[in-house]
Amino acid sequence: LNDEVIHYFLLMLARRDAELAAKQQPGRKRCHFFKSFFITKLLDEAGGYNYKNVKRWSRKVPGKDIFALDKIFFPVNVSGMHWTVAVLHMSEKRIQFYDSMSGSGDRYLEGLMQYLQDEHMAKKGCPLPDADEWELVESTPDTPQQRNGYDCGVFTCMFCDFLSTDCPLTFSQEHITQCRERIALSIMKGVAIE
């Protein structure tokens, strides 16, 4: 999948999230799905970090406060060749990397932890409380794995789909055709299917 398909599917997930919060689960904390450009702007290819490049991006999150969200999804296009996602699990104080090819994601985890601290200082005017309690989790052995070199975008979309509704990651390579159909149907309907 290319970046436009992934970005559009994440938009469908955002629409579903808004519907769940408004109709079916009032009071439910929201999720936000950044585009992959966020990581590109935050972390450059040379390994540099630049909060200034993304400082204003949080204005577009539901409620305009990332600290009031449940989860924040950051799709990552590693070296322009492989899709993964990093997720801030805000209530659990955990940043986790999900990679269908078992990459560690250390650089992204550390960059997002620094982003969280900088964002808190910029938007709340004080250091992130309990910053030392946050856990950075590399891709774990139970993360679903692809068995080819081209399904990473589908896996990334499914990580976002399942995690945004608190579903366990129970899909595998055997389900990839159904996952592709789920993505296509969601895009055709204009909202992620449940």
Side-chain angles (χ1 to χ4, degrees):
L1 300 181
N2 66 29
D3 59 341
E4 289 305 315
V5 172
I6 291 170
H7 293 161
Y8 198 73
F9 182 69
L10 296 182
L11 177 62
M12 301 305 100
L13 295 179
R15 286 182 184 165
R16 180 183 67 193
D17 187 68
E19 287 179 7
L20 288 172
K23 296 177 186 169
Q24 298 175 0
Q25 300 171 2
R28 176 184 185 271
K29 282 190 168 188
R30 297 283 307 278
C31 294
H32 184 69
F33 305 85
F34 279 108
K35 290 186 174 186
S36 62
F37 306 127
F38 182 94
I39 291 292
T40 305
K41 294 287 187 187
L42 181 69
L43 305 172
D44 64 32
E45 288 297 322
Y49 170 88
N50 195 336
Y51 174 70
K52 182 175 58 176
N53 287 346
V54 297
K55 184 176 183 177
R56 294 162 38 164
W57 286 48
S58 63
R59 293 180 188 174
K60 297 180 181 177
V61 305
K64 302 190 184 325
D65 180 4
I66 69 165
F67 299 98
L69 298 173
D70 180 38
K71 294 179 190 76
I72 308 169
F73 295 82
F74 299 88
V76 178
N77 192 339
V78 179
S79 302
M81 297 182 60
H82 176 61
W83 286 102
T84 64
V85 65
V87 182
L88 271 68
H89 298 266
M90 300 301 286
S91 305
E92 300 168 22
K93 295 183 181 177
R94 176 169 47 97
I95 306 172
Q96 187 160 348
F97 193 67
Y98 297 88
D99 185 347
S100 59
M101 293 186 85
S102 300
S104 71
D106 286 343
R107 174 175 180 247
Y108 305 105
L109 295 170
E110 291 166 9
L112 288 170
M113 185 64 205
Q114 184 62 54
Y115 164 73
L116 201 58
Q117 293 176 50
D118 290 345
E119 183 74 3
H120 199 277
M121 183 60 81
K123 302 300 187 322
K124 305 285 186 183
C126 63
L128 178 69
D130 306 322
D132 59 330
E133 293 180 16
W134 280 78
E135 182 182 14
L136 305 183
V137 182
E138 296 178 357
S139 196
T140 58
D142 61 340
T143 300
Q145 298 293 293
Q146 65 187 83
R147 292 196 303 254
N148 59 39
Y150 51 84
D151 283 331
C152 56
V154 178
F155 276 84
T156 295
C157 286
M158 291 299 99
F159 294 149
C160 296
D161 188 2
F162 280 55
L163 293 168
S164 66
T165 55
D166 297 321
C167 292
L169 301 177
T170 56
F171 61 93
S172 67
Q173 185 71 50
E174 285 76 28
H175 304 105
I176 218 65
T177 299
Q178 295 95 321
C179 293
R180 285 183 182 278
E181 291 168 354
R182 180 178 179 85
I183 292 167
L185 185 57
S186 294
I187 290 172
M188 290 186 324
K189 287 183 70 173
V191 66
I193 57 175
E194 291 186 46

